[in-house]
Amino acid sequence: MANGVELDKSLQSIRYNRGSLWLLDQRKLPLETVYLDIKDSKDGWVAIKEMVVRGAPAIAIAAALSLAVEVSNLGVFSGTPNDAASFISNKFDYLVSSRPTAVNLSDAATKLKEVVQKAAATASEAETVLQAYIEAAEVMLEDDVASNKAIGNYGATLIQKQQKDPKSISVLTHCNTGSLATAGYGTALGVIRALHEKGVLERAYCTETRPFNQGSRLTAFELVHDNIPATLIADSAAAALMKDGRVNAVIVGADRVAANGDTANKIGTYSLALSAMHHGIPFYVAAPLTSIDLSLSSGQEIVIEERSAKELLNSRGGLGEQVAASGISVWNPAFDVTPATVISGIITEKGVITKDETGSFDIKSFAQEVATYP
Ligand code: MRU
């Protein structure tokens, strides 16, 4: 990764023009706005692993575009169309190894590998395959914002419908699911933006989201930036907030949703869902269809990333000075799995997945239906 460049204060985590990719270094927010020049898939891998860019949709797009930049700047590729397809596939396998829990990255790998294999089947030159890859990676960036806006609309309408006072709604969210975690607008934070745009958001509450503080550093930054009425709470204040009757709904994002609706998301999501259930508050997951993994029957099969002990031992999620006692051992899972039983609905860009009469989500049928009638 090349040295950072200080640019204007912005919520754009991914800046791309064909042949160049700049990623906002989210480790430095909210104090500094520094973009890193990503020259190839190796830079992309490091940026994802080290949390320069994070959030399930953003890491998939950043990975795809880091490889697009590498391909754009390759010069002459000496090889057949099939060689070009294998080159892309191997690079993507490497990129997928950066972080395991978010399915969006492996979903992008599968789809983009299909694109290059299809192109290789008919192409007479490797260049055609590489060009097809670049164009498909660029479409991912364009599609994400539209998908998030649709999630925002479906989510805001749903939440409003279920409230006694649909004109004054307060929502609690966790981690960062906004412009910084996506190509723009956001998923759960997109729903909050949509409620605010409709003029019905009383207040958004965001948790700090220890240990990496995606909530206090990133979500709080986005909410203040957009002048959305918002309050930051310690993770441990969430149950008290709910007991006080200050929130009408909890809305979070997802890193991977299994076929039964069990959802992996930022550590602490499960506790919020249990608290919400206890207090009779609806708990929603907002996620694009690319976050759904129908190959897994339940959340038990989801691989949970464990991150460095340093994130707990030092302040600022491992980036600052030591705060914990030397010698203590640490368990630091980055995500947890919230069982479908405590999730009220899953908001996607194609509509809301609700439970059937048996109290289960039939995500497979939903996915089939929306694929047939786009
Ligand atoms: O470790 P992170 O910051 O990548 O975790 C992010 C989350 O858990 C988000 O809630 C999820 O990726 C959805 S982002 C739209």
Side-chain angles (χ1 to χ4, degrees):
M1 267 185 290
N3 285 338
V5 173
E6 184 109 21
L7 293 171
D8 61 316
K9 283 232 180 262
S10 163
L11 290 181
Q12 212 182 350
S13 69
I14 299 170
R15 289 190 171 180
Y16 174 84
N17 275 311
R18 190 166 288 185
S20 91
L21 172 65
W22 293 82
L23 293 179
L24 178 57
D25 190 346
Q26 297 188 28
R27 299 167 304 182
K28 295 212 161 38
L29 288 174
L31 302 178
E32 289 172 78
T33 305
V34 172
Y35 281 82
L36 300 181
D37 187 5
I38 304 297
K39 298 219 169 290
D40 53 26
S41 53
K42 174 127 201 313
D43 283 354
W45 190 95
V46 173
I48 294 166
K49 182 85 184 166
E50 294 186 358
M51 309 285 274
V52 168
V53 62
R54 29 66 48 205
I59 62 179
I61 297 165
L65 293 178
S66 70
L67 181 50
V69 167
E70 179 171 342
V71 168
S72 292
N73 299 324
L74 266 182
V76 181
F77 182 90
S78 49
T80 64
N82 280 328
D83 293 337
S86 304
F87 173 82
I88 299 287
S89 294
N90 294 337
K91 292 276 180 184
F92 235 108
D93 287 342
Y94 162 69
L95 281 161
V96 167
S97 71
S98 56
R99 291 192 77 191
T101 304
V103 70
N104 308 58
L105 186 50
S106 45
D107 178 75
T110 308
K111 288 178 180 153
L112 292 168
K113 281 180 190 178
E114 266 169 34
V115 167
V116 290
Q117 273 152 14
K118 237 188 200 168
T122 54
S124 52
E125 287 172 11
E127 196 48 46
T128 313
V129 176
L130 298 176
Q131 196 61 24
Y133 173 77
I134 294 170
E135 282 164 19
E138 289 171 353
V139 168
M140 281 181 65
L141 181 66
E142 288 154 25
D143 285 355
D144 192 51
V145 178
S147 156
N148 292 337
K149 290 207 163 152
I151 290 173
N153 263 324
Y154 280 120
T157 307
L158 171 76
I159 291 175
Q160 269 197 292
K161 246 201 255 165
Q162 297 187 336
Q163 297 304 319
K164 267 199 224 119
D165 182 0
K167 292 214 163 95
S168 174
I169 295 169
S170 289
V171 178
L172 170 65
T173 192
H174 188 52
C175 196
N176 174 264
T177 60
S179 291
L180 297 167
T182 61
Y185 203 73
T187 57
L189 199 47
V191 174
I192 290 173
R193 281 200 164 92
L195 287 167
H196 181 60
E197 281 159 20
K198 285 173 166 227
V200 299
L201 183 77
E202 173 71 21
R203 184 153 295 271
Y205 290 92
C206 64
T207 60
E208 282 183 294
T209 318
R210 296 276 180 105
F212 203 69
N213 291 98
Q214 287 94 333
S216 53
R217 295 191 303 105
L218 309 176
T219 302
F221 179 65
E222 290 202 33
L223 290 165
V224 171
H225 183 277
D226 285 6
N227 285 319
I228 295 174
T231 300
L232 173 68
I233 61 162
D235 296 359
S236 44
L241 184 83
M242 292 184 207
K243 188 166 179 248
D244 271 9
R246 297 210 212 178
V247 285
N248 305 108
V250 180
I251 181 147
V252 299
D255 284 83
R256 195 180 289 247
V257 181
N260 69 345
D262 291 351
T263 296
N265 190 51
K266 180 52 55 192
I267 191 73
T269 302
Y270 180 31
S271 317
L272 291 179
L274 293 180
S275 270
M277 185 180 63
H278 180 77
H279 294 97
I281 296 167
F283 179 92
Y284 300 110
V285 169
L289 291 170
T290 49
S291 297
I292 292 173
D293 184 353
L294 291 174
S295 76
L296 305 184
S297 57
S298 85
Q300 276 188 330
E301 296 163 62
I302 299 176
V303 175
I304 298 295
E305 174 188 7
E306 290 198 18
R307 292 192 62 86
S308 156
K310 205 168 171 217
E311 289 188 354
L312 271 83
L313 296 173
N314 288 36
S315 66
R316 295 180 54 242
L319 305 170
E321 76 283 9
Q322 183 180 340
V323 286
S326 299
I328 188 71
S329 83
V330 169
W331 179 52
N332 183 23
F335 304 97
D336 56 26
V337 175
T338 299
T341 45
V342 293
I343 297 173
S344 313
I346 301 169
I347 302 155
T348 77
E349 71 275 32
K350 297 286 185 186
V352 181
I353 310 175
T354 49
K355 286 181 173 166
D356 60 21
E357 57 290 346
T358 69
S360 313
F361 290 115
D362 185 356
I363 302 184
K364 212 172 211 169
S365 298
F366 178 88
Q368 274 162 358
E369 217 170 283
V370 298
T372 324
Y373 306 106

